[in-house]
Amino acid sequence: MTTLLEMKQKIKNFYGEHDTWLLPLLKFLLAFLVFQSINSTLGFLEALDNIFIVLILSIICAVLPLNGMAVLGCIMIVAHCYGVGVEVAAFSVLLLLLLMILFLRFTSRDNLALILTPAAFALHMPAAVPVGSGLLRGPSCAVPACCGVILYYFMEIVSDRSTVLQGKETESVQKLQILLDALINNQEMWLNILAFVVVLMVVYLISRTSADYSWRIGDAAGAVLYILIMVLGGMFLNVNINIGSVILSGALAAVVGLLIEFAALGIDYSRSETTQFEDDEYVYYVKAVPKSFVAQSEKRIKNISSEPAETPGEGDEEASPVEKVGEETFDFEKQLEESLKDL
């Protein structure tokens, strides 16, 4: 554990010294993951389904705020939908405008949840988004996370029904009706939205209690609750749920929650203290839990030589005499004489 704490402190110090280039690098990697997941799901416009275009857009997002990354991602979705048909692109624009109005109406600071949700689905670990949002943020993250769920399933609908939507014999009104019915009647999407909201709220409420290891309890409870909601909901709603994928997502979410707890919190519950004090109006009960911190001591090496000092030669400075402190000369004859007098 001490080694992990020392490593954490070194990482924090390193990030504090080099955050000017580490933050753009992290944003570049996140943008690359998001744009690649969009291309892998849709990929109907060949001009955008190109690794060089993805790299250029990721470099642009490295210097932009997260809102810029979200806007570019939405533009890429609309462009791929235009590759399917004009009607699909128009429907995607209306859907994105509705989601953006809803998203900006409640919060504009939790856009990271909106960006991470489609990428988490692509990585088969969607449960990590509500667990992480519940630990780090709060109920306000539920709106952007649910918007991300709707965006992901909309892209899946367009990908699955691309053959019908690209058919010339299908009228424009029918295409819009197909998209609307598929989105509204998608029970798996609504089940994931329910799981996201419930898991996020449960993790948030448990992690904000004063109980020992509350973050870990909330993390485990959120992972188990996500698995139960998805499995039982799939049974009652007759939704085809991949149980293995759901269990894997819950396990990965628990691991992500532990990493977040270690990086963001990192406290030592074994040294927690509870105290009580009062004033004229109130009695206060305070529980103090210290953070885990390991001070890094500087190591100094001294060379101790047991060889006798050399006799200074000509031209060398005379060695200063060594004073012996605490040593006395032992006179054997004097001690023997005093002993005989005593006898």
Side-chain angles (χ1 to χ4, degrees):
M1 188 65 181
T2 304
T3 305
L4 293 176
L5 291 175
E6 291 179 354
M7 185 182 301
K8 173 186 173 181
Q9 190 64 30
K10 290 179 180 178
I11 293 174
K12 289 177 64 177
N13 295 337
F14 182 78
Y15 181 81
E17 294 175 359
H18 306 89
D19 60 337
T20 53
W21 62 270
L22 278 178
L23 186 58
L25 178 61
L26 294 175
K27 291 166 66 175
F28 168 80
L29 295 176
L30 178 60
F32 184 82
L33 175 63
V34 171
F35 295 149
Q36 277 294 98
S37 63
I38 293 174
N39 282 337
S40 62
T41 305
L42 296 176
F44 296 105
L45 196 65
E46 295 181 359
L48 288 179
D49 194 9
N50 191 328
I51 186 64
F52 296 104
I53 300 297
V54 172
L55 288 175
I56 292 173
L57 292 177
S58 301
I59 292 173
I60 294 174
C61 291
V63 297
L64 293 177
L66 291 177
N67 289 330
M69 189 186 304
V71 171
L72 286 179
C74 293
I75 293 174
M76 181 177 284
I77 292 174
V78 174
H80 280 298
C81 291
Y82 180 78
V84 179
V86 179
E87 301 84 357
V88 181
F91 186 88
S92 65
V93 170
L94 292 176
L95 178 64
L96 289 172
L97 286 177
L98 180 62
L99 294 180
M100 287 299 173
I101 292 172
L102 180 65
F103 171 65
L104 296 175
R105 172 66 179 81
F106 287 94
T107 177
S108 61
R109 296 183 300 172
D110 298 321
N111 48 13
L112 186 60
L114 173 67
I115 298 171
L116 287 178
T117 301
F121 273 100
L123 295 175
H124 304 287
M125 48 186 299
V129 176
V131 170
S133 301
L135 291 176
L136 294 177
R137 293 296 298 171
S140 60
C141 270
V143 175
C146 293
C147 292
V149 174
I150 295 174
L151 277 180
Y152 171 76
Y153 278 98
F154 171 73
M155 292 189 292
E156 287 287 329
I157 290 170
V158 173
S159 178
D160 294 339
R161 291 165 173 77
S162 60
T163 305
V164 178
L165 296 173
Q166 288 176 335
K168 295 182 180 180
E169 64 278 2
T170 307
E171 297 181 358
S172 300
V173 179
Q174 291 179 347
K175 293 179 181 180
L176 296 176
Q177 190 65 37
I178 289 172
L179 290 173
L180 185 61
D181 292 341
L183 191 64
I184 293 177
N185 298 324
N186 194 329
Q187 294 182 344
E188 184 178 353
M189 180 188 72
W190 296 114
L191 182 61
N192 271 280
I193 290 176
L194 175 64
F196 268 53
V197 174
V198 173
V199 169
L200 193 150
M201 294 301 297
V202 169
V203 173
Y204 173 76
L205 292 176
I206 294 178
S207 62
R208 295 309 183 271
T209 60
S210 61
D212 291 348
Y213 305 100
S214 58
W215 280 44
R216 298 181 187 178
I217 296 172
D219 175 29
V224 174
L225 190 59
Y226 177 82
I227 296 173
L228 291 177
I229 291 175
M230 294 302 297
V231 173
L232 297 179
M235 292 173 58
F236 285 106
L237 297 176
N238 294 324
V239 179
N240 187 13
I241 299 295
N242 189 346
I243 298 178
S245 178
V246 170
I247 295 175
L248 178 62
S249 176
L252 292 176
V255 174
V256 171
L258 289 177
L259 294 176
I260 292 175
E261 189 266 342
F262 177 75
L265 190 64
I267 59 179
D268 187 4
Y269 287 102
S270 62
R271 296 188 292 130
S272 62
E273 299 178 359
T274 303
T275 184
Q276 173 185 349
F277 58 93
E278 62 181 274
D279 56 12
D280 296 336
E281 298 180 355
Y282 295 96
V283 177
Y284 302 92
Y285 299 91
V286 179
K287 181 178 181 180
V289 184
K291 291 186 176 182
S292 301
F293 180 77
V294 177
Q296 298 178 358
S297 59
E298 297 181 358
K299 297 181 179 179
R300 297 180 180 179
I301 301 175
K302 286 187 177 181
N303 295 325
I304 301 175
S305 177
S306 59
E307 297 180 359
E310 296 181 357
T311 305
E314 295 181 1
D316 297 334
E317 296 181 359
E318 290 187 1
S320 59
V322 179
E323 296 181 2
K324 296 183 179 180
V325 181
E327 290 189 3
E328 296 181 357
T329 305
F330 182 78
D331 193 347
F332 179 77
E333 294 180 356
K334 185 177 180 180
Q335 293 291 334
L336 180 60
E337 184 178 355
E338 290 178 357
S339 299
L340 291 176
K341 287 180 180 180
D342 293 338
L343 291 174

